[in-house]
Amino acid sequence: MLLSVRAVEKSFETTDGPQPVLRDVSFDLTAGRTLALTGESGSGKSTLLHLVAGLDIPDSGTILVEGQDIAAMGDGARAAMRRDTVGLVFQQFNLIPSLNVADNLTFHARLAGRDPGNIFALAERLGLGDHLHRFPEQLSGGQQQRVAIGRTLAARPRLVLADEPTGNLDEATGDAMMALMRDMAVETGAGFLMVTHSERLAAMLDDRLHLRAGRIT
Ligand SMILES: Nc1ncnc2c1ncn2[C@@H]1O[C@H](COP(=O)(O)OP(=O)(O)OP(=O)(O)O)[C@@H](O)[C@H]1O
């Protein structure tokens, strides 16, 4: 199994004491499948995605990525897992301002020691074919977002995690980018987990997980 989440609980400390954010969350994601994570604002979606990405640790329960318990890993092993196995697409693009589009697109693949593949073909697919030599500040927000998506996918992660990755794009471009992310993830045999508020985007994926007040419903 690519991803197994079992009985995960997570609370955050507040001035009123610990506030439970995730309660008894369990699900699986198989390689090659796509899963939408939906739920109202504050239901715990981003918190769950951060835990799966190894950016935070659950209070109890287990998260296995390719059979490895990420809470049991040391910091170094968790960082290596994030670099080698997981690809993140967040709303903040975090492009490297001093690198042009071509070098931003290949950056993560090189960090992970992978061949980024045909960057021209990737740029064409992203609608960035004419922009490979531009720098991030010379791109629109939507174009920067497409670079961020392409950079993640060029590293061919086995688990692709996305948090509202098309939030800054118009509907048609957002749908096209979602389809591209989904297709590229599936083509490489990866699993794809995406947080979204959009019923339309959720319906484009194989399966759906809905959170209400931290529980799967
Ligand atoms: N680091 C933190 N410290 C304290 N509380 C937090 C922290 N991170 C999240 N929370 C709280 O946990 C709850 C769930 O937040 P989370 O960001 O996971 O929700 P979400 O479903 O992704 O919401 P949205 O759709 O608005 O992004 C919220 O009540 C939030 O205030």
Side-chain angles (χ1 to χ4, degrees):
M1 184 59 65
L2 176 63
L3 171 66
S4 283
V5 175
R6 286 288 170 278
V8 160
E9 309 264 340
K10 181 74 181 173
S11 297
F12 288 113
E13 283 305 323
T14 68
T15 45
D16 302 328
Q19 184 204 357
V21 172
L22 294 174
R23 309 169 206 225
D24 195 22
V25 171
S26 300
F27 67 94
D28 289 325
L29 177 61
T30 310
R33 299 287 293 180
T34 63
L35 177 63
L37 178 56
T38 58
E40 282 175 12
S41 182
S43 58
K45 304 180 298 296
S46 298
T47 302
L48 180 55
L49 204 72
H50 279 90
L51 294 178
V52 169
L55 296 168
D56 200 356
I57 291 176
D59 299 334
S60 62
T62 54
I63 298 175
L64 304 181
V65 176
E66 296 186 320
Q68 306 272 346
D69 182 347
I70 57 180
M73 289 176 185
D75 289 346
R78 200 160 37 245
M81 190 237 9
R82 284 205 300 271
R83 186 191 61 217
D84 299 337
T85 309
V86 179
L88 300 173
V89 186
F90 287 157
Q91 277 203 6
Q92 302 81 354
F93 321 125
N94 297 322
L95 300 179
I96 299 172
S98 60
L99 296 182
N100 67 19
V101 168
D103 291 336
N104 267 288
L105 282 175
T106 57
F107 189 76
H108 281 193
R110 291 192 202 288
L111 272 187
R114 301 224 172 91
D115 176 359
N118 184 338
I119 235 51
F120 298 101
L122 175 64
E124 284 295 332
R125 254 181 121 173
L126 293 163
L128 294 167
D130 295 332
H131 298 324
L132 279 170
H133 298 292
R134 289 204 189 177
F135 289 86
E137 66 179 16
Q138 300 168 316
L139 300 174
S140 72
Q143 289 167 338
Q144 291 182 43
Q145 193 149 27
R146 284 183 263 156
V147 178
I149 289 169
R151 170 190 62 182
T152 297
L153 292 168
R156 272 171 282 136
R158 293 192 290 281
L159 176 59
V160 179
L161 304 174
D163 198 348
E164 293 280 15
T166 59
N168 295 307
L169 304 176
D170 64 78
E171 193 170 296
T173 311
D175 285 7
M177 282 304 110
M178 231 300 292
L180 178 62
M181 257 190 302
R182 177 196 60 195
D183 294 347
M184 286 186 70
V186 171
E187 276 165 29
T188 57
F192 180 49
L193 172 60
M194 182 184 74
V195 167
T196 184
H197 283 107
S198 161
E199 290 294 322
R200 199 185 69 260
L201 292 181
M204 291 168 69
L205 302 189
D206 297 326
D207 299 303
R208 165 91 68 104
L209 210 59
H210 188 77
L211 278 178
R212 182 171 297 142
R215 285 186 197 277
I216 290 177
T217 57

